[in-house]
Amino acid sequence: MKFSESRRFRPALALGLSLALAACASPATIKVGETRSEVEARFPPKAKVAMPGGVERWQYPSSPAGTTAYMVDFGPDGRVQSVTQALTADYFFKNLKPGLTKQETLALLGAPGIESWYPRLQQDVWSWRYWDQGESAPSRQLDVFFGMSDGRLIYFTMTPDRAFDPGAGGERIF
């Protein structure tokens, strides 16, 4: 390859390297024991939530259409206690329970990508996208249903994401 031909590939190479480096800069790299100031210097949070026991949760959602939502919990000493990817089926089963308020659900998952309502059913629905490697259609959607009268969680469903599952009626037509 001549030098003049290699110059054509430089922008693509630079873009590829930039994307690779950006992928490394993720809240998933935050370590237990880091201080608030160390974390904030690298990753300013999208939201901060007071949790029970003097814990402060910093939220890092990739919403509205992203499939990750990292929750970083700081103890009263100002150090990271845990880093959790909240948009997983295991996390949903462990944490989403009937009777949770919308505020409690926001603290657990971060802001939803979509908010809908069904007046005849008297239900509000919040939706998040997530990725589940164990499924035949790994692009999934979590829908959390709340009663309109009291704002409390009634139930939740986990289904193929209609935008990416042709069998679910979400075909993309260009």
Side-chain angles (χ1 to χ4, degrees), residues 99-166:
L100 285 176
T101 66
K102 288 181 177 181
Q103 207 57 33
E104 290 167 329
T105 305
L106 283 172
L108 289 170
L109 301 174
I114 302 170
E115 293 183 42
S116 310
W117 60 96
Y118 299 97
R120 289 188 179 181
L121 296 174
Q122 290 295 296
Q123 295 177 351
D124 293 322
V125 182
W126 290 358
S127 302
W128 291 262
R129 287 184 164 156
Y130 70 101
W131 190 259
D132 190 343
Q133 289 286 6
E135 294 288 337
S136 59
S139 185
R140 312 285 291 169
Q141 182 168 312
L142 168 72
D143 295 308
V144 179
F145 295 78
F146 299 94
M148 285 180 132
S149 61
D150 62 3
R152 293 196 174 269
L153 192 149
I154 303 168
Y155 63 95
F156 65 92
T157 61
M158 300 180 304
T159 59
D161 186 339
R162 296 175 67 86
F164 298 100
D165 182 11

Side-chain angles (χ1 to χ4, degrees), residues 48-68:
K48 295 179 182 181
V49 181
M51 302 294 284
V55 172
E56 183 176 51
R57 173 168 288 172
W58 288 10
Q59 298 181 330
Y60 298 92
S62 61
S63 60
T67 57
T68 61

Side-chain angles (χ1 to χ4, degrees), residues 88-99:
T88 67
D90 286 342
Y91 188 85
F92 305 149
F93 285 121
K94 288 177 188 169
N95 294 286
L96 295 178
K97 306 291 181 209

